[in-house]
Amino acid sequence: MDDQVWVTGIGAMTPLGADAESTWAGMLAGRSGVRALTEDWAEDSPVRIAATLTEDPAALLPRPEARKLDRGEQLALLVAREAWRDAGAPEVEPERLAVVIGTGTGGVLTTLGQDDVFERSGPRRLSPFTVPMLMPNGPAAWVSMDLGAKGGARTPVSACASGAEALSMGLDLIRAGRADVVVAGGTEACVHPFTLAAFAQMKALSPHSADPETVSRPFDVDRSGFVMGEGAAVTVLERADFARARRNPRTYGTLAGSAVTSSAQHITASDPAGQIQAIQAALRDAYISPTSIGHIHAHATSTASGDLAEAEAIRTAIGTHASVTATKSMTGHMLGASGTVGALSALLSLRDGLAPAVRNLDRLDPRIDLDVIQNTPRKGPWKAALANSFGFGGHNVALIFTP
C-alpha cells in the first residue's frame, strides 16, 4: 500500500475571500481583511477592530439549514462542500471516509447568544437547536452527515493549533489504514464583545484601532498583539494509490509529515523547546532534512513574545536559509482555523512557486534573524515547506508539504 497522502481538494472562507482561490489571491496581493467594528456593541469594547468575513455564511445557505447551525458550523459546511467539489467528489465507501474538523472555541456565539435569551426571556425561549449548535464537535458532525462519512467524525480542540492538528490526525488515519479519504480542517467564528474583552484582558490583542489594516504586523519591531479573525479552511486528504485509481485525479501536493507535541510548561506562554521538538519530529516523519525546507509559513501572531519564541525555534530546528511568511498580517488570527489556512498558504506556495510577503513589516525586529519575506511575494521553487501552529496550553503542531 502506498503511504503517500495527497491533498486533492481545498476550500476556504476568510477575511480575504469567500473561497480558497480568492483567499490565496488576496494573500499574494497583500490585502488586509481587518476592519473597524461599527456595530453598536463595539462602542464599549476595549478592542474595536477585527478581521471579519467578506460574505455572511448564513446568506449562502437555505434559511431552514442556516438557522439550526452556529456560524462556525455554517462555515465548516460551506468550506467542506467547496473542498469536496474541488477534489472531484471522490467515490469512496462511507466506512472509508472520515472527517476531522478542529475548533478552538466551539459554538461560543451560540452559547453567549442563547444565554442572553435565557436571561432576558427565560428557558422556554431557548432555541431547540442550542445544544447541537454550541457543541465543539458540531462542525465535524454536520460535515460527516452532509458527505455520508462513516469512518469517524473527530474534533481536535487544541486552541490555535486545532486546524493543523486536524490535518495531522487525518494523515495518521490514512497511514494507519483506517480511511482512504479524510476531510480535514478547522473553523472558528467568535468575534463577539465577550471574547474580544477576554483576550484584551490578558493583553493578547493589540489595543490599537486608529488604522485597522496596519495593526497586525508579525515580526515587526512595533508589533503590539494579534487581531481577532474568523474563518474556516478544509482540505481533502487521500491515500495516493486510491487517488491514482480515480479518473483524472489532481493533487495540490503531498502532506509528507507531521508532528504534535505538548510543551507542558505554561498555559499561555510560548515555549521554543516544545516547538523545536514538533518541527524536528515532523522532519523525521517526512524523512526530510532541515536544509530541504525552503519555505515556512510561520504561526506568527504579532505578539511580542510569541514571534520571538517561534523565530528561535525555526533557527534551531531549520536554520536561517528558508523564506518565511506570516499571513496573519492579512487575515488576523482565526484561532482554530488558522492552522489550516497556514497549511493552504504553504501548499499553494509550493504549487505556484510564489509565497506571500508579510504585510505591515516596516521594520523587522533585529532579534528575529530569519529570511522574512518583505514588500513583494518571493519566487521559488522549493523542495518542501513547513507550516507551524501553536496554541494556548502548549499545543505544538508542525506540518510538512512537498510538491
Side-chain angles (χ1 to χ4, degrees):
M1 182 182 293
D2 189 341
D3 65 355
Q4 274 197 333
V5 174
W6 287 357
V7 181
T8 59
I10 60 174
M13 285 189 73
T14 74
L16 296 181
D19 56 31
E21 289 298 340
S22 61
T23 293
W24 177 235
M27 289 178 177
L28 291 177
R31 288 195 286 106
S32 175
V34 183
R35 68 170 180 90
L37 295 170
T38 57
E39 292 82 354
D40 290 342
W41 57 258
E43 293 181 7
D44 298 323
S45 175
V47 174
R48 294 187 294 279
I49 63 171
T52 55
L53 297 169
T54 60
E55 293 191 40
D56 180 6
L60 302 177
L61 292 166
R63 180 172 172 76
E65 186 174 36
R67 66 187 294 269
K68 62 184 180 182
L69 300 172
D70 178 79
R71 187 174 174 88
E73 294 173 339
Q74 294 169 356
L75 279 167
L77 199 57
L78 287 166
V79 169
R81 288 171 178 174
E82 178 194 352
W84 192 249
R85 289 192 304 269
D86 188 48
E91 293 185 10
V92 55
E93 293 296 322
E95 294 78 13
R96 302 292 297 169
L97 172 62
V99 173
V100 189
I101 306 288
T103 180
T105 64
V108 68
L109 294 184
T110 293
T111 301
L112 294 168
Q114 289 298 300
D115 181 67
D116 288 343
V117 172
F118 179 82
E119 296 289 345
R120 183 175 61 248
S121 304
R124 294 185 180 277
R125 301 302 296 175
L126 290 177
S127 166
F129 302 112
T130 297
V131 171
M133 289 171 73
L134 66 82
M135 58 191 195
N137 63 304
W142 284 114
V143 171
S144 72
M145 289 185 283
D146 194 57
L147 299 178
K150 297 183 178 181
R154 306 188 182 199
T155 305
V157 180
S158 44
C160 308
S162 301
E165 188 166 340
L167 269 69
S168 180
M169 189 178 294
L171 177 65
D172 289 346
L173 286 170
I174 293 174
R175 284 177 169 174
R178 295 176 182 171
D180 296 318
V181 182
V182 179
V183 176
T187 187
E188 204 76 80
C190 63
V191 177
H192 183 279
F194 178 88
T195 52
L196 288 170
F199 277 103
Q201 193 69 4
M202 65 185 301
K203 310 300 182 185
L205 296 182
S206 173
H208 303 306
S209 58
D211 191 0
E213 294 187 355
T214 69
V215 173
S216 185
R217 44 197 323 112
F219 299 132
D220 190 86
V221 70
D222 292 323
R223 65 192 182 278
S224 57
F226 73 80
V227 175
M228 181 78 76
E230 60 177 352
V234 163
T235 62
V236 176
L237 306 178
E238 290 191 53
R239 202 179 74 243
D241 58 356
F242 181 87
R244 288 192 193 99
R246 297 201 286 119
R247 184 176 180 182
N248 299 322
R250 178 185 58 185
T251 175
Y252 287 91
T254 298
L255 178 51
S258 73
V260 177
T261 68
S262 48
S263 295
Q265 289 293 323
H266 193 277
I267 195 64
T268 57
S270 300
D271 173 47
Q275 297 174 9
I276 292 166
Q277 181 189 4
I279 297 169
Q280 291 177 335
L283 291 169
R284 291 192 298 270
D285 187 52
Y287 297 96
I288 285 177
S289 69
T291 56
S292 294
I293 299 294
H295 176 62
I296 298 171
H297 185 280
H299 183 68
T301 62
S302 187
T303 61
S305 60
D307 289 6
L308 278 179
E310 183 175 12
E312 179 183 341
I314 290 172
R315 285 195 303 270
T316 302
I318 300 295
T320 60
H321 63 277
S323 65
V324 179
T325 195
T327 58
K328 290 183 182 68
S329 60
M330 295 171 268
T331 66
H333 192 355
M334 292 173 283
L335 306 184
S338 64
T340 313
V341 173
L344 291 189
S345 176
L347 187 67
L348 294 174
S349 293
L350 289 177
R351 182 195 69 175
D352 294 348
L354 192 65
V358 179
R359 183 184 170 90
N360 302 322
L361 185 52
D362 299 327
R363 291 187 298 157
L364 180 66
D365 187 332
R367 297 171 295 174
I368 296 299
D369 191 26
L370 295 172
D371 181 17
V372 182
I373 306 173
Q374 297 178 254
N375 303 317
T376 58
R378 179 77 59 83
K379 292 183 178 180
W382 301 282
K383 294 180 180 178
L386 165 70
N388 285 335
S389 289
F390 312 121
F392 286 167
H395 303 277
N396 309 301
V397 182
L399 303 171
I400 293 178
F401 296 94
T402 55

